Amino acid sequence: MTTTASQEAFLQAFHAEYPAVTAEAFGRGRAPDGRSSYEILCDRVAGSMRVLDLGCGDGLLLEFLARTAGRELAGVDLSAHSLALARRRPALSEAKLEEGRAQELPFADDSFDACVSHMALMLMSEIEHVASEMARVLSPEGVLACVVGGGAVGGEAYERFLALLRRTIEETPASQRIPALGDRRTRSREGLDGVLGPAGFTTVDWETVPIDLSGPVAQVWAAVSGLYDLGPLDRATVERLRQAFFVDVRDLTTSDGHIPCAFNIHLATARLS
């Protein structure tokens, strides 16, 4: 099996078991201005009426986009299970929801004014093909806006969770480790410029925003434990990780019983020139 095929097979298997994991993990997170990362992304394409969601998952971002009347919406995702949840959303009854690969989009040239992607672009391999396909289906001056992960905010629960997770993975056999996912260039402004520029996009506008996931420890665990790295781990290992996390963050607990937890997202925006 090729590297790309093994990556995509892993993602399909993971989302067959956890079809709404991204929305469940990040849907309640809030930026300092009170918006979720989904709402921030929507605001970047506020004037666009034909919008494609690349890696649409269970359709939460599309549901936010559907709040603008008259929009023509489409979504594509590798996971049939996630798409099944998207199709159950009443607001998406008219949306075109397709199972497929970003490297071979099932849409005609010049189909969209905007393309959005929430925590998905960074998982995709053959990223030059993805960039050229986005450029193909976008109209001239079309907007690309995506959210990619930006890592932990120092000194809080997410950083401690990642440290525990790294130690756990180091102690597990190779059979319980995920394949390398995506292309590292999508996680930096310079790298993304290098990918998008040859496809015809303008220089990337790059903004880093902290997203707050603070709450009771069980709620914080439910959010952070949605990472792909936990997928192949056996239940006993995950339970040991959970218990270690609960112990490790006790000293962070505030008077109201909450654990401070935040992570950074990078918001990247470019136009097709």
Side-chain angles (χ1 to χ4, degrees):
M1 184 179 291
T2 66
T3 300
T4 297
S6 64
Q7 291 172 350
E8 293 180 359
F10 167 78
L11 290 169
Q12 286 174 315
F14 184 92
H15 287 286
E17 188 169 359
Y18 309 104
V21 65
T22 307
E24 290 171 352
F26 302 127
R28 70 174 188 82
R30 292 293 181 268
D33 64 8
R35 292 180 297 168
S36 70
S37 53
Y38 295 93
E39 291 169 310
I40 293 172
L41 199 49
C42 284
D43 289 347
R44 286 299 175 101
V45 296
S48 302
M49 296 303 292
R50 301 179 300 158
V51 185
L52 169 64
D53 185 356
L54 201 64
C56 65
D58 72 329
L60 179 59
L61 177 56
L62 284 169
E63 188 169 78
F64 278 115
L65 289 163
R67 293 177 179 176
T68 297
R71 265 190 171 141
E72 297 177 21
L73 298 174
V76 64
D77 201 276
L78 280 175
S79 173
H81 294 80
S82 295
L83 286 168
L85 295 182
R87 292 188 178 105
R88 294 177 193 170
R89 295 182 184 268
L92 304 184
S93 60
E94 301 299 319
K96 298 177 182 177
L97 301 173
E98 302 284 350
E99 182 180 350
R101 305 176 66 241
Q103 299 85 349
E104 303 171 271
L105 291 174
F107 305 105
D109 297 0
D110 193 17
S111 292
F112 304 102
D113 307 314
C115 176
V116 294
S117 185
H118 184 277
M119 302 291 279
L121 188 69
M122 62 191 192
L123 303 174
M124 298 173 186
S125 58
E126 301 174 6
I127 196 65
E128 286 87 0
H129 291 300
V130 177
S132 63
E133 279 292 273
M134 291 189 295
R136 181 183 64 79
V137 301
L138 280 172
S139 59
E141 301 297 319
V143 180
L144 168 64
C146 59
V147 164
V148 298
V153 175
E156 297 188 345
Y158 189 58
E159 185 178 45
R160 295 194 185 185
F161 167 75
L162 292 178
L164 290 169
L165 178 61
R166 282 193 292 269
R167 290 200 291 271
T168 299
I169 292 173
E170 288 170 359
E171 296 167 358
T172 60
S175 61
Q176 292 188 45
R177 299 180 188 179
I178 66 172
L181 298 174
D183 191 310
R184 295 296 301 179
R185 289 175 293 173
T186 60
R187 295 173 180 264
S188 72
R189 180 177 187 172
E190 296 76 13
L192 202 51
D193 272 333
V195 170
L196 296 177
F201 287 92
T202 60
T203 301
V204 171
D205 178 74
W206 187 263
E207 181 184 2
T208 301
V209 181
I211 299 295
D212 185 22
L213 287 171
S214 301
V217 64
Q219 181 176 291
V220 170
W221 167 258
V224 301
S225 62
L227 290 185
Y228 290 108
D229 303 77
L230 275 71
L233 301 178
D234 60 62
R235 291 184 179 181
T237 300
V238 173
E239 177 57 23
R240 287 195 297 273
L241 178 60
R242 187 188 70 84
Q243 292 178 8
F245 176 73
F246 275 49
V247 170
D248 198 45
V249 299
R250 279 178 184 166
D251 66 302
L252 295 176
T253 306
T254 59
S255 59
D256 61 356
H258 285 199
I259 306 295
C261 181
F263 70 101
N264 287 322
I265 61 165
H266 299 309
L267 182 65
T269 310
R271 284 189 177 272
L272 192 61
S273 56

